[in-house]
Amino acid sequence: MLASICGAIGLHRFFLYGHRDRWAWVHFLSLPLSLLAWRLWPEQPWLFTGGLLVASALTGFLEALVIGLTPDEKWDAVHNRESGRTSASNWPLALLLVLTLGLGATALIATIARLFDLLYTGGAYG
C-alpha cells in the first residue's frame, strides 16, 4: 500500500530496506529536485520541471505491482526470515493490485498524452 500511495517519494523502500537503501533516496530526492526545477524555471510546463517526480511516481506504481505479485513464500524468505511470521495474501491484496494497476495505467497514459501535446502542439490543448 505504501508503494501505491507514497511510491513517488520512496516511503515503501525506507520501510522495507531502511535508510541505507540507495533507491529510496533516489525516489526521495526527486521531490526537492523537481521543486527546485519548478522554482528556477516557472515558465516551463510542470511535466518538464517535475519530470523526475513523475518518473518516480510511475516507478512507484510498478514497484507496488512487483511487491504485490511476489509469492508469499518468497516474501517470507526475504522479509520475515527472523520473525517466524508467515504472510497470507487475501482478497484485499488483489483489490489493491487492481486499483494500483488502474491508477498506474491512467497516470502513464495521461503522462504520455500530455507529453505528446507539449512536444507536438506546444501545449495547445491545455
Side-chain angles (χ1 to χ4, degrees):
M1 185 182 309
L2 277 177
S4 296
I5 297 170
C6 301
I9 57 174
L11 286 182
H12 62 291
R13 305 268 327 176
F14 285 114
F15 180 76
L16 288 174
Y17 303 108
H19 69 281
R20 293 186 179 184
D21 183 39
R22 290 184 181 127
W23 290 110
W25 287 106
V26 170
H27 278 292
F28 184 74
L29 290 175
S30 68
L31 179 62
L33 290 175
S34 293
L35 290 174
L36 178 66
W38 178 66
R39 296 286 288 168
L40 290 175
W41 302 288
E43 69 281 351
Q44 293 296 318
W46 198 87
L47 184 61
F48 294 147
T49 58
L52 288 175
L53 187 61
V54 170
S56 182
L58 293 174
T59 304
F61 283 124
L62 184 61
E63 287 178 345
L65 292 173
V66 169
I67 290 169
L69 292 173
T70 302
D72 289 340
E73 296 80 25
K74 186 176 179 182
W75 179 267
D76 291 336
V78 173
H79 298 288
N80 291 333
R81 190 178 12 213
E82 285 86 27
S83 70
R85 297 180 353 195
T86 58
S87 301
S89 300
N90 293 322
W91 65 268
L93 176 63
L95 181 63
L96 182 64
L97 287 173
V98 169
L99 291 173
T100 299
L101 182 63
L103 286 173
T106 302
L108 180 62
I109 291 169
T111 301
I112 292 170
R114 181 64 178 152
L115 182 64
F116 279 113
D117 173 42
L118 289 170
L119 291 175
Y120 294 114
T121 68
Y125 295 104

